[in-house]
Amino acid sequence: SNSNYVNASPMDKVCIIGSGNWGSAISIMIGNNCHRLDFCHSQVNMWVFEEEIQYNGSKRKLSEVINERHENVKYLPNIELPHNIVAMPDLQEACRDATVLIFVLPHQFLPPLLRKVREVVHPSCRGVSLIKGMDFDPTNKKPVLISQSIEDIMSEGNRSARRFSCGVLMGANVADEVAKGQICESTLATDFINGDNDIDWNERTRKIFHSPSFRVQHVKDVAGAEVSGALKNIIALGAGFVDGLDHLGGNTKAALLRVGLKEMIKFCRTFFEGVRDDTFLESCGMADLITTCYGGRNRRCAEAYTRRRAQASQSTWTEDECNLLWKEVEEELLNGQKLQGTLACKEVYMVLESRDLLDSFPLIKRIYEIAFLGAPMDTIVDGIVVNDGPVCRSNL
């Protein structure tokens, strides 16, 4: 099939859709590479959701400040961006004739944007999603890869036989450390089919991201890489709960990570075909789980949630009170960024519940009950058990 077929386009024109903390950090690698690589246009457009910010005592547009200062003063302060990164508030102008789209924004914003984007990109365009989350098909209660949703919307109404193809970049990549040039690895999972000119599009795409400090390995298992990137944020909530309970320590957290990894693998295998075991030993699997459970915003907010529940005088918590507390913590700690773990947790719980699979995933179930149903914080240890029974595939 030519479903993932990428047509010949001699030069790549890269556009980054999103300019938050991670979008700005990854733009450093992409900007430097596109400036250097002979198959890329030097200018890299970065779409900015325009907002007014207070800057040096006056109100300014964020995109203008980025282009003037070569710094995202709101989401990645004190880090210089390459001068060939150009912030653009007009989405279609940013994406016009792009051959590579890099998606790095909260996934709930995607569908309306994609319908505008697909009108203006180059016919041979391909995509890489850096979005850590999942979509869900409410009719058949199945998880859907965000990369798959992107492919579907980008290919709607496409007059050619060619489908838009989208892979993912996932890994142990806490944005601020990447931006400072600290050594890390990442996993590019793409399955672009070589065109008739024998260009290896997977390798060509890898080179757009790879640098001496940002070491990118390629795999073809998009599902395994992408689902790991969403689920590890749920496990990180559990890690934050452990950190917030002062009578639990490193051994408990290590046990939670191990059980969490097993549940991540089981979820991938249950719902997606062709997931490979060795994907979980790549940066997108175990390494990303570790860094997210020790650094990262989901862990930090979950620890704060735990401590605030402990300080409060009430012993029982309703669902509304839990949701309100998450909202407060997010607003106080994240400077306008969004928590991904709580959203993913609700969606994964809904899927497992609708298929009567919750008992096969005791840790994810317990994390949800503490986060949203007000279960006592210290019952997190009850989730650190392995239910090794096979998932009955007949109810899928």
Side-chain angles (χ1 to χ4, degrees), residues 172-173 177-178 181-186 211-216 283:
N173 308 139
E177 297 178 18
V178 174
Q182 297 176 9
I183 303 286
C184 69
E185 297 183 305
S186 198
S211 83
S213 64
F214 190 73
R215 300 168 180 180
V216 182
S283 182

Side-chain angles (χ1 to χ4, degrees), residues 14-16 18-19 23-35 42-48 63 66-68 70-71 80-88:
V14 179
C15 172
I16 303 169
S19 56
S24 301
I26 199 69
S27 80
I28 298 170
M29 264 55 69
I30 294 167
N32 289 333
N33 286 338
C34 288
H35 186 61
S42 174
Q43 180 172 322
V44 175
N45 294 342
M46 178 167 78
W47 177 66
V48 175
S63 66
I66 293 174
N67 288 334
E68 204 173 283
H70 303 292
E71 175 194 343
E80 188 180 4
L81 303 181
H83 290 207
N84 58 323
I85 298 287
V86 179
M88 291 195 172

Side-chain angles (χ1 to χ4, degrees), residues 107 132-136 143 227-239 241 263 267 298 302 305 319 322-323 326 339-354 358 361-374 380:
H107 76 289
K132 294 186 168 166
M134 253 191 270
D135 274 337
F136 287 90
V227 176
S228 297
L231 295 182
K232 54 102 199 191
N233 285 326
I234 302 175
I235 308 306
L237 298 178
F241 297 159
E263 291 195 7
F267 187 94
N298 294 281
Y305 171 90
E319 196 168 348
C322 290
N323 278 312
W326 282 115
L339 257 188
Q340 300 134 316
T342 44
L343 184 64
C345 189
K346 286 180 176 178
E347 293 176 328
V348 166
Y349 185 89
M350 183 187 80
V351 165
L352 294 174
E353 186 179 39
S354 70
L358 282 171
F361 294 85
L363 180 58
I364 291 174
K365 176 175 185 250
R366 177 56 51 164
I367 290 170
Y368 178 88
E369 289 165 350
I370 292 172
F372 302 111
L373 303 181
I380 185 63

Side-chain angles (χ1 to χ4, degrees), residues 180-250:
K180 288 173 187 153
Q182 297 176 9
I183 303 286
C184 69
E185 297 183 305
S186 198
T187 309
L188 177 70
T190 57
D191 196 7
F192 302 130
I193 307 296
N194 292 356
D196 43 19
N197 48 11
D198 266 355
I199 293 176
D200 181 342
W201 292 101
N202 295 314
E203 175 57 15
R204 189 154 150 162
T205 308
R206 190 188 74 83
K207 284 180 173 162
I208 291 171
F209 293 99
H210 179 80
S211 83
S213 64
F214 190 73
R215 300 168 180 180
V216 182
Q217 288 90 26
H218 177 261
V219 299
K220 288 190 173 177
D221 179 7
V222 177
E226 185 169 351
V227 176
S228 297
L231 295 182
K232 54 102 199 191
N233 285 326
I234 302 175
I235 308 306
L237 298 178
F241 297 159
V242 169
D243 288 343
L245 293 163
D246 293 326
H247 63 284
L248 298 176

Side-chain angles (χ1 to χ4, degrees), residues 66-352:
I66 293 174
N67 288 334
E68 204 173 283
R69 302 264 325 178
H70 303 292
E71 175 194 343
N72 188 332
V73 293
K74 179 163 185 186
Y75 294 112
L76 191 66
N78 306 316
I79 301 276
E80 188 180 4
L81 303 181
H83 290 207
N84 58 323
I85 298 287
V86 179
M88 291 195 172
D90 182 312
L91 180 68
Q92 287 192 320
E93 190 189 342
C95 297
R96 193 168 306 283
D97 299 325
T99 63
V100 182
L101 294 176
I102 292 158
F103 300 97
V104 52
L105 70 172
H107 76 289
Q108 52 271 38
F109 301 144
L110 267 178
L113 296 182
L114 292 174
R115 295 189 175 94
K116 288 190 183 140
V117 167
R118 70 180 181 213
E119 296 170 5
V120 296
V121 295
H122 191 279
S124 74
C125 191
R126 62 197 190 276
V128 179
S129 167
L130 279 59
I131 300 166
K132 294 186 168 166
M134 253 191 270
D135 274 337
F136 287 90
D137 182 331
T139 42
N140 69 14
K141 303 275 200 305
K142 268 197 164 164
V144 180
L145 301 175
I146 290 173
S147 62
Q148 182 69 52
S149 302
I150 292 172
E151 288 185 357
D152 291 345
I153 297 175
M154 287 294 288
S155 302
E156 270 170 24
N158 188 342
R159 286 175 300 284
S160 75
R162 202 193 138 268
R163 268 180 65 79
F164 183 85
S165 179
C166 187
V168 298
L169 182 85
M170 301 278 155
N173 308 139
V174 173
D176 294 339
E177 297 178 18
V178 174
K180 288 173 187 153
Q182 297 176 9
I183 303 286
C184 69
E185 297 183 305
S186 198
T187 309
L188 177 70
T190 57
D191 196 7
F192 302 130
I193 307 296
N194 292 356
D196 43 19
N197 48 11
D198 266 355
I199 293 176
D200 181 342
W201 292 101
N202 295 314
E203 175 57 15
R204 189 154 150 162
T205 308
R206 190 188 74 83
K207 284 180 173 162
I208 291 171
F209 293 99
H210 179 80
S211 83
S213 64
F214 190 73
R215 300 168 180 180
V216 182
Q217 288 90 26
H218 177 261
V219 299
K220 288 190 173 177
D221 179 7
V222 177
E226 185 169 351
V227 176
S228 297
L231 295 182
K232 54 102 199 191
N233 285 326
I234 302 175
I235 308 306
L237 298 178
F241 297 159
V242 169
D243 288 343
L245 293 163
D246 293 326
H247 63 284
L248 298 176
N251 295 344
T252 312
K253 193 161 160 181
L256 179 131
L257 262 72
R258 188 190 79 85
V259 172
L261 184 61
K262 290 196 79 150
E263 291 195 7
M264 284 164 55
I265 295 171
K266 183 185 271 194
F267 187 94
C268 287
R269 290 240 187 83
T270 302
F271 291 102
F272 297 96
E273 299 292 318
V275 171
R276 293 177 51 95
D277 280 359
D278 47 11
T279 303
F280 300 100
L281 294 177
E282 295 289 340
S283 182
C284 60
M286 190 174 79
D288 195 8
L289 177 65
I290 292 169
T291 198
T292 307
C293 289
Y294 282 87
R297 61 181 96 157
N298 294 281
R299 187 219 64 80
R300 191 164 93 243
C301 289
E303 180 180 350
Y305 171 90
T306 308
R307 295 192 183 282
R308 289 189 195 188
R309 270 189 49 179
Q311 288 157 4
S313 48
Q314 65 201 81
S315 55
T316 56
W317 287 72
T318 66
E319 196 168 348
D320 286 346
E321 288 168 330
C322 290
N323 278 312
L324 192 63
L325 181 55
W326 282 115
K327 196 165 174 289
E328 283 171 18
V329 166
E330 182 179 72
E331 281 169 6
E332 276 175 49
L333 268 57
L334 294 190
N335 180 34
Q337 291 177 278
K338 292 282 165 248
L339 257 188
Q340 300 134 316
T342 44
L343 184 64
C345 189
K346 286 180 176 178
E347 293 176 328
V348 166
Y349 185 89
M350 183 187 80
V351 165
L352 294 174

